[in-house]
Amino acid sequence: MTKQTLIAAACAALLLSACSNKEENTTVASSASSASMATDCNHPAVSTQVQQIIQQAIATQSQGFINKNDSNGILDSDKLIAIVAQLGINISDVQAGKMPHTCEAQVSINIPENVLAQAKTNAPLLQIEAPVDVITKGIIGSNTKFDNNTLSLPLNYSMQNNQFALTDKNLNGVANLLTNALMAYAVRDLLTINGKEVRREDALRMLTKSAEPKPNTASTPAVVPQIKQVEPIGEQIPTPPADVQMPKEEVVPAESQPAENANAQTQPETLTPPDSKPQSRITDNDLDNARQANDDATQNIKGAWRKIAPEIQKDLVAEQREWESKKRQSCRSAAAKGADTAESRYLQMQCDTRMTRERIEYLNGYSID
């Protein structure tokens, strides 16, 4: 074998070895990249970010309420913010989302029994409902569930380059609901009423005593903290009192009465309120607001669809039809829970609006803008 042949063979061997190493390195790098992508959704920052978002929302909501309504300084916002550390926040069922760099999971938020009990005890001082009632009404028509003192909701977020970002408003909405339900927990231990310091327990006793019936005596209202009623978050359903019209008693002139009955004692007329149908928990204003929100969502989803490239729209048509069918079924089920026609219509529109807004967030991922 000639010297030139040996040199050529050695060069060929070196080239083959270099190519093999390059391919192996490329494969390893690709595998490492895929593994990194697969673990992004389970990044430790997710749990921390979820807790911080809840804490920030509670801080903002409670401080806004205090600035607007609590002129007597009855509430302590720091006390409400501190509740976040007591909440049992758990994230489960983590998986990749439908869009690149997006993730889906389930969040459960357990509220300690002692926190609920204290908020319920203090609720009369703020003239609000018990926390469980506030939460139960606040999640009507939503995809949030409440069972055994625990709120459960879907979490949609993006995780790219270790940066966490929410892709819907579910978590913020639940944080606001928690603030509203647990607001009474933040009532201070020592209150200032009419320039005098009063313990919270004493204020509650005065309030309870003033509510007790006192026959044959004029009731004297107790001195209680003056604070505006908490405005509920989400869609609260007021229950107005029945408006009963009482018939007026006819007055007969004395000269027209028979002489034999002139000295007779007048018997009081027995008044019976007319029968009336129970009023719906849903007011006309509730229906108008729900209708307006639904109309807005319908217009917004049309706008989101128009921002998608035509060739991508073709790929999404079948999926969009499937979503429409699912929405109709879900909202029929929601409407069936209504106690009357008005409430059924209200629940149906709430469901439709919520699902449409969620779909808009999804479609915005395909936007060409």
Side-chain angles (χ1 to χ4, degrees):
M1 184 179 293
T2 65
K3 185 177 181 180
Q4 291 81 359
T5 303
L6 288 172
I7 293 172
C11 290
L14 288 173
L15 287 172
L16 288 172
S17 176
C19 290
S20 176
N21 289 337
K22 184 176 181 181
E23 289 178 358
E24 182 178 353
N25 291 337
T26 301
T27 302
V28 171
S30 176
S31 299
S33 176
S34 298
S36 176
M37 286 292 293
T39 57
D40 272 350
C41 290
N42 287 297
H43 196 281
V46 175
S47 180
T48 303
Q49 288 291 327
V50 167
Q51 184 164 346
Q52 289 179 355
I53 288 171
I54 294 175
Q55 185 171 14
Q56 184 59 43
I58 289 178
T60 302
Q61 181 78 10
S62 60
Q63 194 59 55
F65 173 81
I66 290 172
N67 292 341
K68 182 179 179 182
N69 301 305
D70 189 16
S71 58
N72 292 324
I74 293 174
L75 298 173
D76 182 356
S77 61
D78 291 338
K79 193 174 181 181
L80 190 61
I81 295 170
I83 289 178
V84 178
Q86 302 182 51
L87 299 176
I89 302 175
N90 182 55
I91 300 174
S92 60
D93 298 334
V94 179
Q95 58 184 332
K98 297 179 181 178
M99 297 294 296
H101 306 295
T102 62
C103 306
E104 299 174 356
Q106 282 289 320
V107 176
S108 61
I109 305 172
N110 179 261
I111 309 171
E113 183 66 38
N114 66 302
V115 172
L116 286 171
Q118 188 64 64
K120 181 180 179 179
T121 299
N122 296 347
L125 291 171
L126 300 184
Q127 301 176 30
I128 62 175
E129 295 179 288
V132 171
D133 295 332
V134 173
I135 293 174
T136 301
K137 290 183 178 180
I139 63 175
I140 291 178
S142 73
N143 52 4
T144 301
K145 302 183 185 304
F146 184 64
D147 182 53
N148 196 26
N149 298 346
T150 301
L151 282 159
S152 303
L153 66 147
L155 177 69
N156 297 292
Y157 60 98
S158 64
M159 200 71 202
Q160 189 173 6
N161 298 325
N162 296 335
Q163 296 297 315
F164 173 89
L166 293 175
T167 56
D168 62 27
K169 299 179 181 179
N170 286 344
L171 189 62
N172 283 308
V174 166
N176 290 338
L177 180 61
L178 277 171
T179 307
N180 193 51
L182 302 178
M183 185 69 72
Y185 180 84
V187 173
R188 298 180 186 274
D189 296 333
L190 197 61
L191 312 177
T192 301
I193 303 174
N194 295 335
K196 297 181 180 180
E197 289 188 344
V198 179
R199 293 193 313 160
R200 183 185 65 237
E201 294 81 359
D202 293 335
L204 284 167
R205 275 194 290 270
M206 286 190 292
L207 190 63
T208 303
K209 188 175 181 181
S210 68
E212 294 176 354
K214 297 180 180 180
N216 301 326
T217 60
S219 59
T220 303
V223 179
V224 295
Q226 297 298 315
I227 187 166
K228 296 181 182 178
Q229 186 173 355
V230 176
E231 295 179 0
I233 299 172
E235 293 77 21
Q236 291 282 7
I237 302 174
T239 307
D243 185 12
V244 179
Q245 298 294 329
M246 304 296 288
K248 296 183 179 180
E249 183 179 358
E250 182 180 359
V251 179
V252 181
E255 60 269 20
S256 64
Q257 296 180 5
E260 61 271 22
N261 294 332
N263 296 323
Q265 184 178 1
T266 304
Q267 296 297 321
E269 181 181 357
T270 301
L271 303 179
T272 304
D275 294 334
S276 60
K277 293 178 62 178
Q279 291 191 0
S280 173
R281 296 191 298 169
I282 305 300
T283 65
D284 291 340
N285 186 56
D286 292 330
L287 285 173
D288 289 340
N289 291 338
R291 190 176 296 109
Q292 182 61 53
N294 189 247
D295 291 342
D296 291 344
T298 300
Q299 292 303 316
N300 290 339
I301 196 171
K302 290 178 181 178
W305 181 261
R306 286 193 292 268
K307 293 178 182 179
I308 300 175
E311 58 273 18
I312 298 179
Q313 286 182 353
K314 293 179 182 178
D315 296 334
L316 291 175
V317 167
E319 181 183 318
Q320 188 70 7
R321 288 173 178 167
E322 181 180 353
W323 171 79
E324 288 280 0
S325 176
K326 180 181 177 182
K327 182 181 71 168
R328 282 193 296 269
Q329 289 179 336
S330 297
C331 295
R332 283 197 194 105
S333 298
K337 299 177 182 178
D340 50 51
T341 302
E343 186 172 355
S344 293
R345 178 58 179 156
Y346 178 77
L347 294 176
Q348 187 275 329
M349 287 190 292
Q350 265 198 330
C351 170
D352 190 284
T353 301
R354 172 181 58 79
M355 294 190 67
T356 301
R357 287 173 177 169
E358 292 173 356
R359 186 65 178 177
I360 291 170
E361 294 286 346
Y362 173 73
L363 293 177
N364 284 341
Y366 293 96
S367 175
I368 58 178
D369 289 352

